Amino acid sequence: MSDTALLIIDVQTGVVDGEMRAARLDAVLDSLNLAIAKARGSDMPVIFIQHEEDDLPRGSGAWQLHPQLARQDGDAVVHKRYGDSFCDTDLARLLSARGIAKLWIGGAATDFCVDSTLRNAVSRGYQVTVIADGHTTLSAFALSGEQVIDHFNAIWQASSATPLPLRVLPAAEL
């Protein structure tokens, strides 16, 4: 079993394909599915993170993971109520039980849940690789979703003050 796990955060129908469609969604889904295939080929666990809140209730159609994701029955699913996937969830225990030291991270939303999770993972001592073409967000705050994605990739790439290197790679280079 690998010491690396793939985390796919909040790629849920209502999050990425609801009233507004997330930036580069089709390409992001393709990249995530490529990462899933690479993870499975390396005997890495694939863990899906699923957000819920009052306007995204558990069990609703909007809450469901996106149907184009290449999920399998044995994949772990972690449910959360906060942006950070470690906050008040069993994610840390799940990773520890599997001997995971490294994470590949992708999903939604770049500027909220993905960023919060990867920063907490880095602080917890995980070696993190962000899938550069495997995360997305909505346009907001006068920025397009594409601008937000590009901005965060640049910020993460430039982050050198981390205990272990924070890598940003396209799915094809994982």
Side-chain angles (χ1 to χ4, degrees):
M1 183 65 99
S2 175
D3 69 343
T4 306
L6 169 60
L7 298 184
I8 298 179
I9 302 167
D10 300 351
V11 182
Q12 296 163 251
T13 303
V15 173
V16 298
D17 212 2
E19 282 184 34
M20 294 178 63
R21 195 158 204 267
R24 304 176 183 156
L25 181 58
D26 294 327
V28 167
L29 289 167
D30 289 344
S31 293
L32 290 174
N33 284 329
L34 176 58
I36 290 169
K38 287 182 172 222
R40 293 193 200 295
S42 297
D43 200 28
M44 292 169 49
V46 178
I47 303 169
F48 291 90
I49 310 295
Q50 204 165 8
H51 189 83
E52 67 178 277
E53 56 187 57
D54 292 343
D55 63 347
L56 191 65
R58 186 182 292 222
S60 69
W63 175 81
Q64 301 302 320
L65 292 168
H66 199 282
Q68 290 181 12
L69 289 173
R71 289 189 58 219
Q72 291 183 354
D73 288 339
D75 294 334
V77 178
V78 173
H79 298 111
K80 69 179 183 68
R81 291 197 57 85
Y82 305 105
D84 173 10
S85 299
F86 289 95
C87 183
D88 203 19
T89 72
D90 63 352
L91 178 59
R93 190 179 79 245
L94 175 67
L95 296 172
S96 178
R98 294 179 183 211
I100 301 300
K102 301 173 186 171
L103 298 173
W104 293 354
I105 296 178
T110 300
D111 42 345
F112 293 101
C113 300
V114 174
D115 185 57
S116 296
T117 299
L118 81 87
R119 289 180 187 279
N120 194 340
V122 166
S123 293
R124 289 171 179 259
Y126 291 98
Q127 166 70 63
V128 174
T129 300
V130 180
I131 306 167
D133 53 357
H135 62 92
T136 186
T137 194
L138 302 173
S139 298
F141 309 113
L143 297 175
S144 71
E146 290 82 359
Q147 289 173 311
V148 173
I149 292 165
D150 294 343
H151 176 76
F152 274 83
N153 278 339
I155 287 173
W156 296 327
Q157 186 69 45
S159 296
S160 60
T162 56
L164 297 171
L166 173 58
R167 301 181 328 152
V168 181
L169 297 172
E173 295 179 24
L174 293 172

